[in-house]
Amino acid sequence: MSLPHHTLSPSLFAPPKIPTPFSKTRPFHGATHRLQLKGSDGGGVVFSAKEELSDDEEKNMLDHLYTSQYHMSGILAISLGRVEEPNVDNITHVVFMRFQRKEDLAKFHVNASYLGVLKEHVKPHCYGLISLEYESEVEDDIMPIFRRGEEFNYGVECVFLISFFETASGHAVEDALATLQSLIIKFGSLIIQATQGQCFNLTDSEYTHAAVIRFPSFDAMEMFRGISDYKDMWRLKFQKVTRKALLIYFTVDPVGTELM
């Protein structure tokens, strides 16, 4: 189910971003990522209805989503949270999942436990769902693959969604993504992990590419977005080939302990 369409406001063109593996000094491990965006309408009657979601109901919903990784195989890592700022697509929550293979993702779609969580704990409180799935590579080490360790327990998860013009040349798109990759590597000290890829199964969304960057803090994210190289990259490489873009983020805190 798609959310209501909106055009991108000029303020959101303040450099968004797309990531790639944050280090090239070690081998990389392939993975499939599912980015599931939970949306509530930002205005009118629907938004008023969703305001009835209490803190306890929201916590219960997020706990069930988070602990779903313990009831089904194939999920390597998961993070989720409430989006910090309003946005033109009225997205309020994000669930990020990492799978080892596409086959695991296909099984996940029909998993009875997950479908039960959606039916009982998510859809009653949710206006609509947008699913974006992409393949990328992560550092071939058990801690980054499973997103384990102290540095993954906290921070800011930044999600960048982008739709390129159909008329944009493949070279221009590749050049934009390569420029961002170079920037990610250059300023890797500000980033814990970054992945990006072209979306497949585009039935739910108009976005063609997705990226997820984990920052250690809000200050690190703002520092990265504020550097002149990043602003120049967006202005010179992305803006001319981008039809629509959205940058959202949420704070990462340990959740799900009650249901584990």
Side-chain angles (χ1 to χ4, degrees), residues 94-113:
V94 175
V95 178
F96 172 73
M97 295 181 179
R98 173 172 293 160
F99 296 83
Q100 186 171 359
R101 296 176 299 270
K102 274 188 177 182
E103 292 80 2
D104 296 325
L105 178 59
K107 293 177 182 178
F108 174 79
H109 281 302
V110 296
N111 182 276
S113 176

Side-chain angles (χ1 to χ4, degrees), residues 60 64 113-125:
N60 184 58
H64 276 87
S113 176
Y114 176 68
L115 294 177
V117 169
L118 289 184
K119 181 180 179 180
E120 296 179 22
H121 303 286
V122 180
K123 289 184 178 180
H125 308 298

Side-chain angles (χ1 to χ4, degrees), residues 1 100 207 232:
M1 179 179 180
Q100 186 171 359
Y207 293 108
D232 291 342

Side-chain angles (χ1 to χ4, degrees), residues 3-133:
L3 298 179
H5 174 74
H6 302 267
T7 56
L8 182 64
S9 66
S11 63
L12 288 175
F13 277 105
K17 51 210 324 218
I18 289 183
T20 61
F22 70 101
S23 170
K24 287 203 169 190
T25 59
R26 307 172 73 172
F28 288 90
H29 177 86
T32 299
H33 299 82
R34 174 183 175 85
L35 184 63
Q36 185 175 77
L37 307 179
K38 280 147 192 65
S40 298
D41 196 351
V45 176
V46 177
F47 180 82
S48 297
K50 300 310 172 182
E51 283 183 342
E52 295 176 2
L53 178 67
S54 68
D55 290 343
D56 287 341
E57 289 172 331
E58 181 186 41
K59 183 182 183 302
N60 184 58
M61 176 182 71
L62 295 179
D63 279 352
H64 276 87
L65 283 167
Y66 185 82
T67 56
S68 62
Q69 64 183 310
Y70 306 120
H71 303 292
M72 60 191 79
S73 61
I75 302 176
L76 302 181
I78 183 172
S79 68
L80 74 177
R82 181 195 300 172
V83 173
E84 292 290 338
E85 296 180 356
N87 56 85
V88 294
D89 276 3
N90 303 310
I91 294 169
T92 62
H93 294 80
V94 175
V95 178
F96 172 73
M97 295 181 179
R98 173 172 293 160
F99 296 83
Q100 186 171 359
R101 296 176 299 270
K102 274 188 177 182
E103 292 80 2
D104 296 325
L105 178 59
K107 293 177 182 178
F108 174 79
H109 281 302
V110 296
N111 182 276
S113 176
Y114 176 68
L115 294 177
V117 169
L118 289 184
K119 181 180 179 180
E120 296 179 22
H121 303 286
V122 180
K123 289 184 178 180
H125 308 298
C126 192
Y127 178 75
L129 300 174
I130 300 176
S131 295
L132 299 113
E133 299 158 1

Side-chain angles (χ1 to χ4, degrees), residues 129-183:
L129 300 174
I130 300 176
S131 295
L132 299 113
E133 299 158 1
Y134 66 93
E135 286 186 292
S136 65
E137 294 180 326
V138 294
E139 188 180 5
D140 193 11
D141 184 88
I142 189 169
M143 300 298 275
I145 290 174
F146 290 91
R147 300 184 121 206
R148 296 292 189 264
E150 183 65 25
E151 63 183 357
F152 284 106
N153 287 337
Y154 302 91
V156 174
E157 201 86 89
C158 183
V159 177
F160 177 55
L161 307 176
I162 191 166
S163 175
F164 291 109
F165 288 118
E166 293 183 0
T167 55
S169 70
H171 173 75
V173 171
E174 291 175 4
D175 184 43
L177 297 176
T179 301
L180 179 54
Q181 175 172 345
S182 298
L183 195 63

Side-chain angles (χ1 to χ4, degrees), residues 15 172 175-176 179 228-242:
D175 184 43
T179 301
S228 59
D229 292 29
Y230 178 71
K231 295 178 179 179
D232 291 342
M233 174 202 68
W234 178 252
R235 178 174 56 86
L236 298 175
K237 300 293 184 178
F238 276 91
Q239 201 157 8
K240 60 184 178 182
V241 295
T242 299

